[in-house]
Amino acid sequence: MTSTREDLWHILECLTAEQFKNFQWFLKEEDVKNKFPAIAQARLEGADRQDTIDLMVQKYRPSGAVQITMKILGKINRNDLVQDLSNKSNEDHKISAALPCEDETRRAKLREMKARIDLMIKDRQMKICEVRRTAELSRKSAERQTSDSMRAFEALVASVQSSLDKLIGEIDEKQKMTQKQAGGLIQQLEKEIYELNKSSEEVEQLTKDQRDSLPSFTNEMLTEARFPQPSYKETVISTVTQLKEKLSKDMEMFLAVTELNRLRQFAVDVTLDPDTAHPNLILSEDGKQVHCGDIKQTLPDNQDRFDQVINVVGKQSFSSESFYYEVQVKEKISWDLGVAKESINRKESIKVSPENGFWTICLRAGKYKASRVHLSVGSQPRKVGVFVDYENRSVSFYNAESAELIHCYTDCSFKEKLRPFFSPGTLRDGQNSTPLIICPLYHNYQI
């Protein structure tokens, strides 16, 4: 797009010298009708075409300069140039009219670019929050680990000190006994020396004839006065062996507690889904407790509800992140806990196994089982922790109070969402009415 000055310059270049002189003459006259004031004669004298255009644009602005040029061109019979200038003006007007659209397109692109930049800023702000949160969790984890380590090492030092005190006490007691035995022997030997000295004096007082008739004297009493050096080796070895075994157990316990506290960082808030609960199951209002009732309730038979087995799953589902939760099982004689695929069959009685989408452990008749495996449990758990490790494809179960690992499923196939799985077991002659209780968890939880 050319400028107005360029368009006017091309037009005035087409005028002859005489026509240009006439053109300037009309500029000296005021056009009252169209409100174009005159340009002073003194300013036009000696002005060439370019100077004249500058004076017109300065006096009438670009649009006014075009209008007065077209009027004067008509007066000097150069209507051909009027048409050319009109065409140029119309073309420029069309281009100018198109500019807002181009400007709007540009503004739209700028808005889009700004929106993308704002989104990028928001993503980075969220990342900063995530990093800060992770750093804060790391700081709290470090504080917990330091605190746990200090307690553990204080306990270990106390064990060592206790064992040392016990060893010193045993050595001291043995030494006292040795000293007592030595004192007794010394006293006996001193008594014998006294008796021997007395005998010696009596021998010296004997006559020659009496000395010749004395029997021979033996050293039997002295041979019985042997005193063995006491040994503390067995005491030291026994104490050190016991200390080593205790420290080994204490370290295993410390590492187990540390690991379980680490897993508690993945704690999630789990609530029971009433739409999946078997009609015999009674859920608390907050969705944290469940037990089996003796009356089958009338409930909507939706596709998600278990209707053949006494089961219920959690509302929350997990598809990629690791998670941990704990359930109180004390005073119960039968229960199942774990996780299950979201697509498990809920309308038929099927075997609870990994092949069918279940990773659980259960208590039956005092025995613990995981699918077809009988479990050896050190102490009967009152709380059970369940941890799903997506990265390592495993499901682990812990005694949440002793930190003992009860069982671990490995090489699990997590190809869909998982839900926490619960079965409080059926009532048996009025027993097993105690509910399963989902425990609240805090990141500063300690055993």
Side-chain angles (χ1 to χ4, degrees), residues 156 159-161 163-164 238-248:
L156 294 176
S159 294
V160 172
Q161 187 63 52
S163 297
L164 179 59
S238 175
T239 302
V240 171
T241 300
Q242 292 176 12
L243 176 61
K244 181 179 178 181
E245 292 175 354
K246 187 176 188 309
L247 290 179
S248 179

Side-chain angles (χ1 to χ4, degrees), residues 186-442:
I186 290 171
Q187 187 177 5
Q188 179 65 30
L189 290 171
E190 287 176 343
K191 182 179 179 181
E192 291 178 4
I193 290 172
Y194 172 78
E195 294 294 335
L196 289 171
N197 284 332
K198 185 178 178 182
S199 298
S200 177
E201 290 176 0
E202 290 176 353
V203 168
E204 289 179 356
Q205 295 175 2
L206 293 176
T207 65
K208 184 179 180 300
D209 294 338
Q210 289 174 325
R211 292 175 186 173
D212 292 339
S213 62
L214 284 176
S216 62
F217 181 78
T218 61
N219 200 23
E220 293 178 359
M221 294 179 62
L222 185 59
T223 58
E224 296 176 359
R226 293 174 182 169
F227 182 71
Q229 175 68 28
S231 173
Y232 304 101
K233 180 178 179 181
E234 292 183 359
T235 303
V236 173
I237 291 176
S238 175
T239 302
V240 171
T241 300
Q242 292 176 12
L243 176 61
K244 181 179 178 181
E245 292 175 354
K246 187 176 188 309
L247 290 179
S248 179
K249 290 181 180 178
D250 289 346
M251 284 302 300
E252 287 179 4
M253 180 64 178
F254 167 67
L255 294 175
V257 170
T258 300
E259 174 63 11
L260 187 56
N261 283 336
R262 183 188 71 82
L263 299 184
R264 286 192 173 106
Q265 297 181 43
F266 298 92
V268 292
D269 183 22
V270 175
T271 52
L272 302 168
D273 187 352
D275 292 334
T276 67
H278 184 277
N280 275 86
L281 294 182
I282 300 174
L283 278 59
S284 61
E285 290 186 4
D286 62 359
K288 299 295 185 180
Q289 302 185 27
V290 58
H291 69 278
C292 184
D294 52 7
I295 298 176
K296 190 171 185 178
Q297 305 169 85
T298 303
L299 299 173
D301 185 18
N302 58 63
Q303 62 179 2
D304 295 329
R305 189 179 303 283
F306 292 96
D307 55 13
Q308 298 294 320
V309 285
I310 311 296
N311 296 340
V312 61
V313 295
K315 283 184 178 181
Q316 297 76 15
S317 59
F318 305 89
S319 59
S320 59
E321 68 275 20
S322 298
F323 63 96
Y324 176 87
Y325 69 95
E326 286 181 4
V327 182
Q328 180 175 297
V329 297
K330 69 177 184 179
E331 299 179 5
K332 294 193 64 62
I333 62 173
S334 175
W335 50 262
D336 295 71
L337 286 176
V339 292
K341 290 181 179 179
E342 199 166 44
S343 64
I344 55 173
N345 191 327
R346 307 182 189 186
K347 298 303 180 182
E348 298 178 7
S349 179
I350 61 175
K351 185 176 182 60
V352 177
S353 66
E355 293 77 15
N356 292 326
F358 298 84
W359 292 271
T360 65
I361 63 171
C362 69
L363 172 64
R364 296 286 188 277
K367 306 287 186 181
Y368 294 91
K369 293 178 61 178
S371 188
R372 294 179 291 271
V373 179
H374 289 274
L375 305 177
S376 176
V377 178
S379 58
Q380 184 172 355
R382 298 191 301 174
K383 288 182 181 179
V384 174
V386 182
F387 177 64
V388 175
D389 188 339
Y390 262 92
E391 183 177 354
N392 294 316
R393 297 187 302 147
S394 64
V395 181
S396 305
F397 300 85
Y398 294 85
N399 182 328
E401 293 183 327
S402 69
E404 173 192 359
L405 176 63
I406 299 173
H407 184 67
C408 180
Y409 289 99
T410 58
D411 296 325
C412 302
S413 176
F414 301 146
K415 295 182 179 179
E416 59 181 83
K417 291 182 178 180
L418 300 178
R419 287 200 184 189
F421 175 85
F422 309 84
S423 175
T426 58
L427 287 174
R428 299 183 181 181
D429 299 327
Q431 296 183 339
N432 205 40
S433 60
T434 304
L436 290 176
I437 302 175
I438 301 172
C439 304
L441 282 174
Y442 307 96

Side-chain angles (χ1 to χ4, degrees), residues 60-255:
Y60 309 124
R61 297 182 181 277
S63 58
V66 171
Q67 291 181 32
I68 196 169
T69 298
M70 292 174 67
K71 290 183 180 297
I72 295 175
L73 290 174
K75 291 178 181 180
I76 62 175
N77 298 318
R78 288 303 306 263
N79 290 322
D80 58 324
L81 295 179
V82 172
Q83 186 62 42
D84 288 345
L85 184 58
S86 177
N87 292 339
K88 287 181 177 293
S89 297
N90 289 336
E91 182 179 351
D92 290 344
H93 177 72
K94 289 179 181 179
I95 294 174
S96 298
L99 280 177
C101 295
E102 291 182 1
D103 288 346
E104 181 59 33
T105 301
R106 182 171 179 272
R107 285 194 293 269
K109 289 182 179 180
L110 290 175
R111 285 195 298 270
E112 182 181 351
M113 182 180 296
K114 186 177 184 304
R116 288 201 304 269
I117 293 172
D118 290 343
L119 182 60
M120 291 168 68
I121 292 172
K122 187 175 181 180
D123 288 342
R124 281 153 181 77
Q125 289 173 337
M126 291 178 64
K127 189 65 177 178
I128 289 173
C129 292
E130 181 182 344
V131 170
R132 284 177 176 167
R133 179 176 177 276
T134 302
E136 179 64 14
L137 289 176
S138 177
R139 183 187 66 81
K140 291 181 178 179
S141 176
E143 289 179 351
R144 283 196 307 274
Q145 189 63 56
T146 300
S147 177
D148 292 345
S149 298
M150 289 178 64
R151 288 201 317 273
F153 275 81
E154 286 170 359
L156 294 176
V157 170
S159 294
V160 172
Q161 187 63 52
S162 176
S163 297
L164 179 59
D165 292 343
K166 181 181 177 183
L167 176 59
I168 292 173
E170 291 179 357
I171 292 174
D172 187 56
E173 187 66 28
K174 199 167 187 179
Q175 175 61 17
K176 287 179 180 178
M177 185 177 295
T178 301
Q179 292 295 330
K180 184 177 180 180
Q181 291 174 351
L185 287 172
I186 290 171
Q187 187 177 5
Q188 179 65 30
L189 290 171
E190 287 176 343
K191 182 179 179 181
E192 291 178 4
I193 290 172
Y194 172 78
E195 294 294 335
L196 289 171
N197 284 332
K198 185 178 178 182
S199 298
S200 177
E201 290 176 0
E202 290 176 353
V203 168
E204 289 179 356
Q205 295 175 2
L206 293 176
T207 65
K208 184 179 180 300
D209 294 338
Q210 289 174 325
R211 292 175 186 173
D212 292 339
S213 62
L214 284 176
S216 62
F217 181 78
T218 61
N219 200 23
E220 293 178 359
M221 294 179 62
L222 185 59
T223 58
E224 296 176 359
R226 293 174 182 169
F227 182 71
Q229 175 68 28
S231 173
Y232 304 101
K233 180 178 179 181
E234 292 183 359
T235 303
V236 173
I237 291 176
S238 175
T239 302
V240 171
T241 300
Q242 292 176 12
L243 176 61
K244 181 179 178 181
E245 292 175 354
K246 187 176 188 309
L247 290 179
S248 179
K249 290 181 180 178
D250 289 346
M251 284 302 300
E252 287 179 4
M253 180 64 178
F254 167 67
L255 294 175

